[in-house]
Amino acid sequence: MRDAAAWFDTHTYRFDQFDPAALVAAKRDTRVSVLIPARDEAATVGAIVTTLRSELMDRVPLVDEIIVIDSHSTDATADIAAEAGATVFHVDEVVPHVGSRPGKGEAMWKALAVMTGDIGIYLDADVQEFTADFVIGLLGPLLLEDDLVFVKAFYDRPWSSGPPRSSGGGRVTELVARPLILDRTPLLSGFVQPLAGECAFRADALLTIPFVSDYGVDIGLMIDVLREHGLSAMAQVDLGLRRHRHQDLAALSAMAQHVQAAFDLRTAPGVRESVESTAVVFHREGTEMRMGERTTTTVQRPPMRDVLSP
Ligand SMILES: O=c1ccn([C@@H]2O[C@H](COP(=O)(O)OP(=O)(O)O)[C@@H](O)[C@H]2O)c(=O)[nH]1
Ligand SMILES: O=C(O)[C@@H](COP(=O)(O)O)O[C@H]1O[C@H](CO)[C@@H](O)[C@H](O)[C@H]1O
């Protein structure tokens, strides 16, 4: 943890320390792709894409393309995102020869196959009150510090209706990921929000690492970027405040299984391609309580570079 604390002091930024005009100058001919994995985000994806286009393509030219990967949405996510100006791909239509798995990790992994940028920025599509500061903050360190390859977001995470400085969000982060980080990958313990969906990266750094499927992807990337590039190539940026849609506890419980599985896949000895975990679940049928089980399978996908040029 001493190393993590030293890293925290030198590799933690704030979004408002970056001047957009200076970033445009530093960008030169570097291309920037925003990549948004989206499943059933019709309520929020349009405003996010509209803000990206108006603020960061038209007004301040920091973003060159906006890609939404439609991850088996059942609502109008794809149409709304396209209407707002994003390039939309359905996850099944990207590198179709490798097949398709459910989950956020698959959508983020396949986004690498269609991005044209030198720098990528992953954003969640369920963020409420999204602002251009999210992108300015994430881009700043990468455009100004050549030694960095990966920048993770952090923020205050109030419960959806909670006051700004309260906590309440980040349940899997606080209850599952943080203890596992201390136990398995303590060098990452300086990251305030290790599961944050928002991050910026140099494309070459992620094209050469495997992606853990589903909700294990975020911590899986942290572990593999640390292994491949070292802590000094990673940074984090304070974006202030983030509000987003919160899932119910059953969904969070499955997410926790994926996060645990990602640690097993990426840190336990021995090479494994998948981890299957089962949990006991209970549900009511009428007045009766029923007992059942939920099995989650977490797999990893190979480095996208190996898929694009076998
Ligand atoms: O199978 C999935 C699950 C989630 N997501 C997207 O991944 C991001 C983060 O997922 P979610 O909001 O469910 O996670 P939370 O922030 O609630 O932990 C969002 O843009 C989702 O639309 C996705 O593309 N495919
Ligand atoms: O941080 C967390 O505990 C979870 C759940 O957040 P909430 O408890 O619903 O605020 O959300 C994060 O983790 C997910 C799994 O890595 C990511 O997919 C989300 O983008 C991220 O917000």
Side-chain angles (χ1 to χ4, degrees):
M1 274 176 53
R2 191 174 51 250
D3 296 341
W7 169 87
F8 180 93
D9 290 340
T10 55
H11 288 69
T12 299
Y13 299 84
R14 274 188 57 83
F15 74 89
D16 55 7
Q17 71 184 82
F18 300 108
D19 167 30
L23 295 189
V24 171
K27 179 176 182 282
R28 293 190 296 273
D29 57 356
T30 302
R31 278 182 61 81
V32 175
S33 302
V34 171
L35 313 173
I36 306 175
R39 179 187 65 181
D40 296 338
E41 304 294 4
T44 42
V45 72
I48 293 170
V49 174
T50 299
T51 300
L52 288 166
R53 280 202 72 86
S54 60
E55 294 293 306
L56 293 163
M57 293 183 100
D58 301 342
R59 196 168 65 82
V60 178
L62 277 174
V63 169
D64 298 286
E65 69 178 350
I66 305 167
I67 290 173
V68 169
I69 302 291
D70 178 15
S71 176
H72 301 117
S73 295
T74 60
D75 65 6
T77 293
D79 292 341
I80 292 171
E83 182 63 31
T87 305
V88 182
F89 296 89
H90 190 280
V91 67
D92 292 348
E93 67 175 326
V94 178
V95 290
H97 63 286
V98 299
S100 192
R101 296 178 184 281
K104 176 190 181 187
E106 185 82 354
M108 290 171 69
W109 179 63
K110 288 202 172 180
L112 296 183
V114 290
M115 71 179 283
T116 63
D118 310 291
I119 287 178
I121 298 176
Y122 284 122
L123 294 177
D124 279 4
D126 67 329
V127 172
Q128 299 146 1
E129 304 163 17
F130 175 82
T131 72
D133 291 340
F134 273 48
V135 170
I136 292 164
L138 286 164
L139 263 184
L142 278 190
L143 287 177
L144 299 179
E145 300 293 341
D146 293 342
D147 296 340
L148 294 175
V149 302
F150 188 88
V151 179
K152 193 79 165 176
F154 72 89
Y155 23 62
D156 292 335
R157 297 184 71 169
W159 192 244
S160 37
S161 53
R165 285 288 169 265
S166 63
S167 63
R171 291 161 294 174
V172 177
T173 295
E174 302 306 331
L175 300 176
V176 178
R178 224 182 281 290
L180 281 169
I181 285 170
L182 269 181
D183 178 52
R184 304 277 192 89
T185 56
L187 274 179
L188 293 177
S189 54
F191 282 88
V192 180
Q193 290 293 341
L195 299 188
E198 299 83 5
C199 61
F201 59 93
R202 297 196 198 284
D204 289 345
L206 263 54
L207 279 163
T208 54
I209 59 175
F211 270 54
V212 176
S213 70
D214 220 311
Y215 285 114
V217 62
D218 305 285
I219 194 62
L221 288 179
M222 297 284 282
I223 293 167
D224 283 319
V225 170
L226 173 67
R227 172 185 289 119
E228 292 296 315
H229 299 276
L231 190 60
S232 61
M234 304 171 78
Q236 61 183 350
V237 61
D238 185 354
L239 301 181
L241 172 73
R242 174 183 186 256
R243 293 185 189 280
H244 71 115
R245 182 213 57 227
H246 299 281
Q247 301 188 57
D248 64 25
L249 281 178
L252 268 292
S253 175
M255 183 186 289
Q257 282 179 270
H258 281 298
V259 168
Q260 166 81 57
F263 275 98
D264 292 343
L265 271 176
R266 308 308 305 143
T267 64
V271 178
R272 280 188 281 180
E273 290 303 311
S274 72
V275 170
E276 193 165 280
S277 51
T278 300
V280 172
V281 290
F282 299 93
H283 67 278
R284 277 202 183 280
E285 280 176 3
T287 57
E288 294 298 311
M289 183 62 79
R290 294 279 188 262
M291 179 174 169
E293 61 184 48
R294 176 190 62 229
T295 298
T296 58
T297 302
T298 304
V299 300
Q300 64 192 24
R301 291 294 222 165
M304 183 51 77
R305 175 147 293 159
D306 298 349
V307 173
L308 298 176
S309 50

